[in-house]
Every structure is written in structure tokens, then in C-alpha cells.
Amino acid sequence: MASSVADAMVALLKSSGVRRVYGVPGDSLNGFTDAMRRDGGITWEHVRHEEAAAFAAGAEAALTGELAVCAGSCGPGNLHLINGLYDANRSRVPVLAVAAHIPEVEIGLQYFQETHPQELFRECSVYCELVSIPEQIPHVMESAMRAALERGGVAVVVIPGGVFFADVPSGAMTTPVRKAASVIRPADAPLAAVAQVLNGASRVSILAGAGCAGAHDQLMEFAGALQAPIVHAMRGKEWVEYDNRFDVGMTGLIGFGSGYRAMEHCDAWSCSAPTSRTGSSFPRVSRSSRSTCGGRISAAGCRSLSRWWARSRTPLRRCCRCSRPNPTASTWTG
């Protein structure tokens, strides 16, 4: 039975599938790390610098798709997490950062190494809140973990060191937090609008990003219906490029010519779930369509677009006037 706030936090993390926490111990983290020691179910992964802890948590989250956790003590301890948390948040992987804070009675009084973590981490997180009293803990922890898992990003919980030792509220944090499987599909009206744009174009290119994860087959069906080249974004490489006869390369900040030209010579392009757009990397085209939901494409969305196209016109055989066509796409002409 959990007896302190720290014990309840550890119990919740363990029941939610967390098996390790990366960090560097410090006095303001003592309540949390000692609760982990007493429980024995979560491994403390000691690193030499908090920045490495945040990067390690981001890497674990990227590899597993599950929530990963890092922790830092007050002042410079948690401030050192910021580089790794920026990276994790931009990569849209679920990371929870436990940022210990100075004693609650000293906040705002120029205490030794005082910072305001809830302000510092706001730009590199999808959720960032300060816990002032023990009664906040159940709801803040659940909200933070759900935000990280469902929105794909970093959640930061800032906790004064003394709160870790406080008595836990009755019945606090008993329900595990797990990522909910969901199916995302655009509504019929936007799909019809996208299909209308594509039907009116003679040369279509597809820009596909990391949001296409899990929808590779549907993306291939979509490209096949359009006979369109696929340009992948940097983070879309691992999800889009493999087993893809339509792929013509990458565009973006470190892209190269073939991807750029495939977009330059089209008169419409379908933007399928890239998470960012660098305007200078994309040529100007007459029209664009987006088949995205919150930055992520749905398999149902790709499949629906393919069906809209199949009902409305014969698939194109000549889709791009690139000077260097993809040699692996035998149905294309240059």
C-alpha cells in the first residue's frame, strides 16, 4: 500500500508498464529515488549527466512506442534535461520528465539555484504543470501521462522536493495509464474535397511523413491509384521508403534533388502526414491537398482516398515530368 506521494507515483508508473527511470540523483529527488529503492520494481538508470537521461528516455520511447521516464533534481539538475526533451518533443515520442523543485515555501524568494521549470519546459512539452499540494498529484500525473501517450510528446511534472514525502491522498493513482488504440479517419466532406483536387490535376505528387507509420500498405494503394511519385520527409524515411517502388527521394532541410523535382513538376501534391514543413524546401505548385488528422494519416484515410479516386476516374499513367524519373517505377514515363 502506497504511503507517500512518491510511493504512489512509483506504483502508478510500474502498473503502467514503466520499468526504468533515467537520471542523476539529487537532494530534491531523494523522496522519489528512495521510493523506487523500496519498491524494487523500477530500475534507476544512473547516467553521468541529465542531458543523457533525457536523450536515453527519448530513444527508449522511439524504439518501443511506450512511455519512458527521466528525472532531474532542482535548479541545474532538471535544467540539463532540456536538450533531450526538445529532441523527444520534436520527434513526437512519449516521455515523462519528473522535475524536482526547490522547497515550496521558498518559491519566489530568490532561493539558491531557483528556476521556474514550469515556464522553462513549456515550449518543449505537450503538458507541463507545477504540483503545489499532494492532492494535485493523482490528476496531474494521470493528465501528464495521458498527454504524453496520446498526443505524442513530452510531459513535465514539476514537484517540490518536500511534496514527495507528503502523505498520499486516499485512493490516489490506482488506475494504470496505457495508450489507447484509436482509428483516425478524416470525415467524408474533407475526403471529397481532397479527391476533387486530385481529380482535377494531371500530375500529382505525394509528400509522406512519419505520421504514415502503420499505413504503408494503404499509402502504396493510394500511390498506385494515382500513379504518383512519393516524396518522403526526413522522419518518414523509416515508415515510407522501404518496399516502395513509387519513392523518388527525400525533400526538406537535408533533402536532395529528385524529391524536390518531383514536387516542382507536379500541379497538385498530397501532403500525407509530415509533421513539419520547411517552406524554402518546397517548390510553388498550383494546388495542394492534405489527407491528415492531427499530423497523422490514417490507414482508413488512405484507403478512402483510393476508393474516391477509383470511382471517379481512370488512374494516371503519366504523373510527373521529372527529368530523372525513378528507374524502379516501370509504369512511369519521364
Side-chain angles (χ1 to χ4, degrees):
M1 179 65 69
S3 58
S4 70
V5 165
D7 291 325
M9 290 175 63
V10 170
L12 174 63
L13 291 174
K14 185 171 71 171
S15 67
S16 300
V18 174
R19 291 295 173 262
R20 60 193 63 83
V21 175
Y22 302 91
V24 177
D27 52 357
S28 55
L29 264 180
N30 283 348
F32 184 63
T33 53
D34 195 52
M36 290 175 55
R37 178 192 62 80
R38 292 194 304 272
D39 180 86
I42 298 179
T43 302
W44 175 259
E45 298 289 355
H46 179 72
V47 295
R48 298 186 67 177
H49 193 280
E50 288 88 353
E51 183 178 31
F55 276 114
E60 179 184 329
L63 290 170
T64 65
E66 301 293 334
L67 185 70
V69 183
C70 60
S73 57
C74 67
N78 63 55
L79 187 58
H80 288 155
L81 297 170
I82 200 162
N83 276 344
L85 296 185
Y86 258 102
D87 180 75
N89 201 54
R90 289 292 178 89
S91 298
R92 297 193 174 187
V93 294
V95 170
L96 173 69
V98 178
H101 201 12
I102 63 174
E104 55 269 41
V105 297
E106 301 290 351
I107 294 175
L109 301 179
Q110 301 297 308
Y111 189 74
F112 176 64
Q113 295 184 336
E114 179 177 5
T115 62
H116 294 88
Q118 70 274 22
E119 302 301 329
L120 289 168
F121 294 114
R122 197 168 301 282
E123 188 178 340
C124 63
S125 63
V126 297
Y127 182 96
C128 182
E129 290 297 338
L130 168 67
V131 173
S132 301
I133 57 175
E135 287 74 17
Q136 286 180 268
I137 281 287
H139 303 297
V140 169
M141 279 293 290
E142 181 178 355
S143 297
M145 295 168 70
R146 289 201 184 282
L149 286 166
E150 301 302 333
R151 297 177 61 184
V154 171
V156 182
V157 177
V158 182
I159 308 178
V163 174
F164 287 121
F165 296 98
D167 291 337
V168 66
S170 178
M173 295 180 290
T174 57
T175 304
V177 178
R178 297 279 190 171
K179 186 173 183 178
S182 58
V183 176
I184 304 173
R185 177 192 180 279
D188 287 343
L191 280 175
V194 169
Q196 185 176 7
V197 171
L198 299 179
N199 286 340
S202 59
R203 299 182 307 277
V204 180
S205 292
I206 298 171
L207 172 64
C212 291
H216 187 272
D217 291 344
Q218 290 79 10
L219 183 63
M220 296 305 102
E221 182 184 356
F222 181 41
L226 291 168
Q227 286 297 291
I230 297 177
V231 183
H232 63 264
M234 182 176 68
R235 287 188 56 239
K237 182 179 177 69
E238 65 178 302
W239 308 109
V240 174
E241 188 180 33
Y242 71 95
D243 295 337
N244 183 352
R245 67 188 182 91
F246 300 102
D247 190 79
V248 294
M250 183 169 68
T251 192
L253 184 63
I254 56 173
F256 41 89
S258 58
Y260 185 93
R261 299 303 177 195
M263 298 180 67
E264 182 182 37
H265 292 283
C266 69
D267 59 5
W269 53 280
S270 175
C271 185
S272 299
T275 55
S276 64
R277 291 172 59 181
T278 305
S280 60
S281 302
F282 301 138
R284 295 179 65 87
V285 296
S286 58
R287 288 171 293 177
S288 67
S289 64
R290 296 184 66 87
S291 53
T292 61
C293 283
R296 294 187 179 275
I297 195 168
S298 66
C302 266
R303 190 159 49 244
S304 298
L305 278 170
S306 298
R307 289 170 181 169
W308 273 105
W309 185 273
R311 287 201 300 266
S312 58
R313 68 185 297 169
T314 303
L316 295 173
R317 289 298 174 186
R318 182 181 180 88
C319 63
C320 183
R321 295 177 182 173
C322 298
S323 58
R324 297 175 61 188
N326 187 343
T328 64
S330 57
T331 59
W332 299 357
T333 57

